[in-house]
Amino acid sequence: MHLLNLGILAHVDAGKTSLTERLLHSAGVIDEIGSVDDGNTRTDTLALERQRGITIKSAVVSFPVDDVTVNLIDTPGHPDFIAEVERVLGVLDGAVLVVSAVEGVQPQTRVLMRTLQRLRIPTLLFVNKIDRRGARYGDLLSSISERLRAAVVPMGSVEDLGTPEAAFLPGLGPDAAAVLADHDDELLTAYVENTVSRDRLRAALAAQTCQALVHPVYFGSAITGAGVDALITGIRELLPAADGDPQGPLSGTVFKVERGQAGEKVAYARIFSGTLRTRDRIAFGDAGAEGKVTAVSVFDRGTDIGSDSVPAGRIARLWGLGEIRIGDAIGVPRKAYDHVFAPPTLETVVVPGLGTDRRALHLALTQLAEQDPLIGLRHDEVRQETAVSLYGEVQKEVIQATLAEEFGVHVTFRETTPLCVERPVGTGAAVEFNKKGSNPFLATVGLRVDPAPVGSGVRFALDVELGAMPYAFFKAVEDTVRETLGQGLRGWRVTDCVVTMTHSGYSPRQSHAHQGFDKSMSSTGADFRGLTPLVLVEALRRAGSQVYEPMHRFRVEVPADTLGGLLPVFAALRAVPQTTETHGSRCVLEGTVPAAQVHGLERQLPGLTRGEGEWGCVFDHYAPVAHGAVPERARTDHNPLNRKEYLLNVTRRVA
């Protein structure tokens, strides 16, 4: 049996879920096609998804195509739920990227395509809605090639475009050989000599598609079914089947975690190697946790069914692993789980409603964070507040509705604020010695902070001998450094720096005759964990830090005659157009805007453009805060910036 794990990706409203329904119907899995508008689709199972008509959580459904079993994963299209897409990418064998024939390439389409190309995931393109008025063909193909920077091969032509009778006529056009010859010298020679056979062309297309060098493009309509049969043929013939040795060592990746009816964790995992069986005891995660798999189900013909085992290549639901998290490796780690999309750039404080139990709220938020690892929770014990990081306002509304419907917890939110970062502007060093001065800890720690290139993150280095003291103490310092850098001089996460340990020292283990270990005379990990924040913030204070705010790159298309009223609003909200192009009566602006102003622009755009403005934006970079007061964020730790307060909170041995 051949397996293919296929992702369906698109910008919002491109018709991705409708295409999923059509594929299931064409494969004979469902008798009636569900409608997003009617809220009865197979993959949008959450009540909130049905109400809003958007996909929020990824869903897996299986269907057969001749001798191939396809596990199809429907993903959200709205950029606020990009974390759901990120989790899926690492388990795919291939993808279908859906583009609307009317709206064309959108900012989210470009983000998705760049990521698919970077990960070298074989991808077919399906241009949907050819039956809609305003649908395009020739100029849209050019736009796809140019804006997505992709080598595309049209897989046919369209007749009666923009009408309910629109049809897709399969067949490789004369340009296909030229595109494929760019990546194949032998084919180029045959192309020049005009000796390219149809079979040779088809073989080159399949090979180059599997290598993600070219991307076949199909046109059709998920509503009428036009072009869908051709797409299914392409899925079967052009995308690579799942590989993996069922007899090899167990290796898999968890890409989704949900709660079952009894509140138990259910993990969705792709098995890359080996075979996982019910009652197996397996290792998972970076910490080497272990758990026993109590039940397994696999996907087959539109549903999931119980199974005793999961061989390599399959996707399964696993029960019994109570501590498992999204991104965890199962068995032998395949590769480190890494983010491929930008992290959230916004934050808001969750305000419990009248009569809401704070403990129940904290538990509910924790479970939501388990299901979405890019939603960060920040709990302030002093103020008894919890902040949650976000991608956008729609996500905030969804969190609010989810807490109410699934957990019975009612909340509101404070105003959304941008998540800034801090970067060192110079070099600073500090040291505190064991049993000297006002140091109450039995430890010597010296640290130097140096700026590092943008995007490099945080690196910890040693300028002392590793054997100078027990390794556990070095590990305590490194872990505490990374934790402390979560809140810099103004409360923001510190990044793009190198922290070097320059001094170390400890008090060896002391004991009295016939007595046990004397903690008052011997260093412990707690001493290093307690002292490190004081030294680090002093070094950072001497280095100095600058606050950077998140900036989004936007693209907006508006009627040209509305530009005069739009530009002053852009200027007031610190949006800076960098390129302006006019196409007939339409004008396209691209530029940057602070993340804090994005929602305001989105709200005002319809009124400023008679409802005809098209807006899209994605995170681009961090820029120094250049306007107004430098933003600060309240600390949630013991505040090592205030030595007296810190020591009172951390230890009773106050100097």
Side-chain angles (χ1 to χ4, degrees), residues 164-200:
E165 291 75 33
F168 180 68
L169 306 177
L172 287 174
D175 296 335
V179 175
L180 294 169
D182 284 343
H183 307 282
D184 187 329
D185 290 341
E186 291 183 6
L187 184 63
L188 177 60
T189 302
Y191 175 66
V192 172
E193 297 173 353
N194 198 26
T195 59
V196 179
S197 67
R198 180 66 57 177
D199 290 343
R200 177 72 178 85

Coordinates of all heavy atoms in Angstrom, one line a residue, residues 164-200:
P164 N -20.4 29.7 -15.0 CA -20.7 28.4 -14.4 C -20.3 27.2 -15.2 O -20.1 26.1 -14.7 CB -22.2 28.5 -14.1 CG -22.5 29.9 -14.1 CD -21.6 30.6 -15.1
E165 N -20.1 27.4 -16.5 CA -19.8 26.3 -17.4 C -18.2 26.2 -17.6 O -17.8 25.4 -18.4 CB -20.4 26.5 -18.8 CG -21.9 26.3 -18.8 CD -22.6 27.5 -18.2 OE1 -22.1 28.7 -18.4 OE2 -23.7 27.4 -17.6
A166 N -17.5 26.9 -16.9 CA -16.0 26.9 -17.0 C -15.5 25.5 -16.8 O -15.9 24.8 -15.9 CB -15.4 27.8 -16.0
A167 N -14.6 25.1 -17.7 CA -14.0 23.7 -17.7 C -12.5 23.8 -17.8 O -12.0 24.7 -18.5 CB -14.6 22.9 -18.8
F168 N -11.8 22.8 -17.3 CA -10.4 22.7 -17.4 C -10.1 21.6 -18.4 O -10.6 20.5 -18.3 CB -9.8 22.3 -16.0 CG -8.3 22.2 -16.0 CD1 -7.4 23.3 -16.3 CD2 -7.7 20.9 -15.8 CE1 -6.1 23.1 -16.3 CE2 -6.3 20.8 -15.8 CZ -5.5 21.9 -16.1
L169 N -9.2 21.9 -19.4 CA -8.8 21.0 -20.4 C -7.4 20.5 -20.2 O -6.5 21.3 -20.5 CB -9.0 21.6 -21.8 CG -10.3 22.3 -22.1 CD1 -10.3 22.9 -23.5 CD2 -11.4 21.2 -22.0
P170 N -7.2 19.3 -19.6 CA -5.8 18.9 -19.3 C -4.9 18.7 -20.5 O -5.4 18.4 -21.6 CB -6.0 17.5 -18.6 CG -7.5 17.5 -18.2 CD -8.2 18.3 -19.3
G171 N -3.6 19.0 -20.3 CA -2.7 18.8 -21.4 C -1.5 19.8 -21.2 O -1.7 21.0 -21.0
L172 N -0.3 19.2 -21.3 CA 0.9 20.1 -21.2 C 1.0 21.0 -22.4 O 0.9 20.6 -23.6 CB 2.1 19.2 -21.1 CG 2.3 18.5 -19.8 CD1 3.5 17.5 -19.9 CD2 2.5 19.4 -18.6
G173 N 1.2 22.3 -22.1 CA 1.4 23.3 -23.2 C 2.8 23.3 -23.8 O 3.7 22.6 -23.3
P174 N 3.0 24.1 -24.8 CA 4.3 24.1 -25.5 C 5.4 24.7 -24.6 O 6.6 24.5 -24.8 CB 4.0 25.0 -26.7 CG 2.8 25.8 -26.3 CD 2.0 24.9 -25.5
D175 N 5.0 25.5 -23.5 CA 6.0 26.1 -22.7 C 6.5 25.2 -21.6 O 7.5 25.5 -21.0 CB 5.4 27.3 -21.9 CG 5.0 28.4 -22.9 OD1 5.6 28.5 -24.0 OD2 4.1 29.2 -22.6
A176 N 5.9 24.0 -21.4 CA 6.3 23.1 -20.4 C 7.7 22.6 -20.6 O 8.5 22.6 -19.6 CB 5.4 21.9 -20.3
A177 N 8.1 22.3 -21.8 CA 9.4 21.7 -22.1 C 10.5 22.8 -21.8 O 11.6 22.5 -21.2 CB 9.5 21.3 -23.6
A178 N 10.2 24.1 -22.1 CA 11.2 25.1 -21.8 C 11.4 25.3 -20.3 O 12.6 25.5 -19.9 CB 10.7 26.4 -22.4
V179 N 10.4 25.2 -19.5 CA 10.5 25.3 -18.1 C 11.3 24.2 -17.5 O 12.2 24.3 -16.7 CB 9.1 25.4 -17.4 CG1 9.3 25.4 -15.9 CG2 8.4 26.7 -17.9
L180 N 11.0 23.0 -17.9 CA 11.6 21.8 -17.4 C 13.1 21.7 -17.9 O 13.9 21.2 -17.2 CB 10.8 20.5 -17.9 CG 9.4 20.4 -17.3 CD1 8.7 19.3 -18.0 CD2 9.5 20.1 -15.8
A181 N 13.4 22.2 -19.1 CA 14.7 22.1 -19.6 C 15.7 22.9 -18.8 O 16.9 22.7 -18.8 CB 14.7 22.5 -21.1
D182 N 15.2 23.9 -18.1 CA 16.1 24.8 -17.2 C 16.7 24.0 -16.1 O 17.8 24.4 -15.6 CB 15.2 25.9 -16.6 CG 14.9 27.0 -17.6 OD1 15.6 27.1 -18.7 OD2 14.0 27.8 -17.3
H183 N 16.2 22.8 -15.8 CA 16.7 22.0 -14.7 C 17.2 20.7 -15.1 O 17.5 19.8 -14.3 CB 15.6 21.8 -13.6 CG 15.0 23.1 -13.1 ND1 15.6 23.9 -12.2 CD2 13.8 23.6 -13.5 CE1 14.8 25.0 -12.0 NE2 13.7 24.8 -12.8
D184 N 17.4 20.5 -16.5 CA 17.7 19.2 -17.0 C 18.5 19.4 -18.3 O 17.9 19.7 -19.3 CB 16.5 18.3 -17.2 CG 16.8 16.9 -17.6 OD1 17.8 16.6 -18.2 OD2 16.0 16.0 -17.3
D185 N 19.8 19.1 -18.2 CA 20.7 19.4 -19.4 C 20.3 18.5 -20.6 O 20.3 18.9 -21.7 CB 22.2 19.2 -19.0 CG 22.6 20.3 -18.1 OD1 22.0 21.4 -18.1 OD2 23.7 20.2 -17.4
E186 N 20.1 17.2 -20.3 CA 19.7 16.3 -21.4 C 18.4 16.7 -22.0 O 18.3 16.6 -23.3 CB 19.6 14.8 -20.8 CG 20.9 14.2 -20.3 CD 20.8 12.8 -19.9 OE1 19.7 12.3 -20.0 OE2 21.8 12.2 -19.4
L187 N 17.5 17.1 -21.2 CA 16.2 17.5 -21.8 C 16.4 18.8 -22.6 O 15.7 19.0 -23.6 CB 15.2 17.8 -20.6 CG 13.8 18.2 -21.1 CD1 13.1 17.0 -21.9 CD2 12.9 18.5 -19.9
L188 N 17.3 19.7 -22.1 CA 17.6 20.9 -22.8 C 18.1 20.6 -24.2 O 17.7 21.2 -25.2 CB 18.6 21.8 -22.1 CG 19.0 23.1 -22.7 CD1 17.8 24.0 -23.0 CD2 20.1 23.8 -21.9
T189 N 19.0 19.6 -24.3 CA 19.6 19.2 -25.6 C 18.5 18.7 -26.5 O 18.4 19.1 -27.7 CB 20.7 18.2 -25.4 OG1 21.7 18.7 -24.6 CG2 21.2 17.7 -26.8
A190 N 17.6 17.8 -26.0 CA 16.5 17.3 -26.8 C 15.6 18.4 -27.2 O 15.0 18.4 -28.3 CB 15.8 16.2 -26.0
Y191 N 15.4 19.4 -26.3 CA 14.4 20.5 -26.6 C 15.0 21.3 -27.8 O 14.3 21.7 -28.7 CB 14.3 21.3 -25.3 CG 13.4 22.6 -25.5 CD1 12.1 22.5 -25.9 CD2 14.0 23.8 -25.4 CE1 11.3 23.6 -26.0 CE2 13.3 25.0 -25.6 CZ 11.9 24.9 -25.9 OH 11.2 26.0 -26.1
V192 N 16.3 21.6 -27.7 CA 16.9 22.4 -28.8 C 16.8 21.6 -30.1 O 16.6 22.2 -31.2 CB 18.4 22.7 -28.4 CG1 19.1 23.3 -29.6 CG2 18.4 23.6 -27.2
E193 N 17.0 20.3 -30.0 CA 17.0 19.5 -31.3 C 15.6 19.1 -31.7 O 15.4 18.3 -32.6 CB 17.8 18.2 -31.0 CG 19.3 18.5 -30.8 CD 20.1 17.3 -30.4 OE1 19.5 16.2 -30.2 OE2 21.3 17.4 -30.3
N194 N 14.6 19.5 -30.8 CA 13.2 19.2 -31.1 C 12.9 17.7 -31.2 O 12.1 17.2 -32.0 CB 12.7 19.9 -32.5 CG 11.2 20.0 -32.6 OD1 10.5 20.1 -31.6 ND2 10.7 20.0 -33.8
T195 N 13.5 17.0 -30.2 CA 13.3 15.5 -30.1 C 12.7 15.1 -28.8 O 12.8 14.0 -28.4 CB 14.6 14.8 -30.4 OG1 15.5 15.2 -29.4 CG2 15.2 15.1 -31.7
V196 N 12.0 16.0 -28.1 CA 11.4 15.7 -26.8 C 10.1 14.9 -27.0 O 9.2 15.4 -27.7 CB 11.1 17.0 -26.0 CG1 10.5 16.6 -24.7 CG2 12.4 17.8 -25.8
S197 N 10.1 13.7 -26.5 CA 8.9 12.9 -26.5 C 7.9 13.2 -25.4 O 8.3 13.8 -24.4 CB 9.2 11.4 -26.5 OG 9.7 11.1 -25.2
R198 N 6.7 12.9 -25.5 CA 5.7 13.1 -24.5 C 6.0 12.4 -23.2 O 5.9 12.9 -22.1 CB 4.3 12.7 -25.0 CG 3.2 12.9 -24.0 CD 2.9 14.3 -23.7 NE 2.6 15.1 -24.9 CZ 2.3 16.4 -24.9 NH1 2.2 17.1 -23.7 NH2 2.0 17.1 -26.0
D199 N 6.5 11.1 -23.4 CA 6.9 10.3 -22.2 C 8.1 10.9 -21.5 O 8.1 10.9 -20.2 CB 7.2 8.9 -22.6 CG 5.9 8.1 -23.0 OD1 4.8 8.6 -22.7 OD2 6.1 7.1 -23.7
R200 N 9.0 11.4 -22.2 CA 10.2 12.0 -21.6 C 9.9 13.3 -20.9 O 10.4 13.5 -19.8 CB 11.2 12.4 -22.7 CG 12.5 13.1 -22.2 CD 13.4 12.1 -21.5 NE 14.6 12.8 -21.0 CZ 14.8 13.5 -19.9 NH1 13.7 13.7 -19.1 NH2 15.9 14.0 -19.6

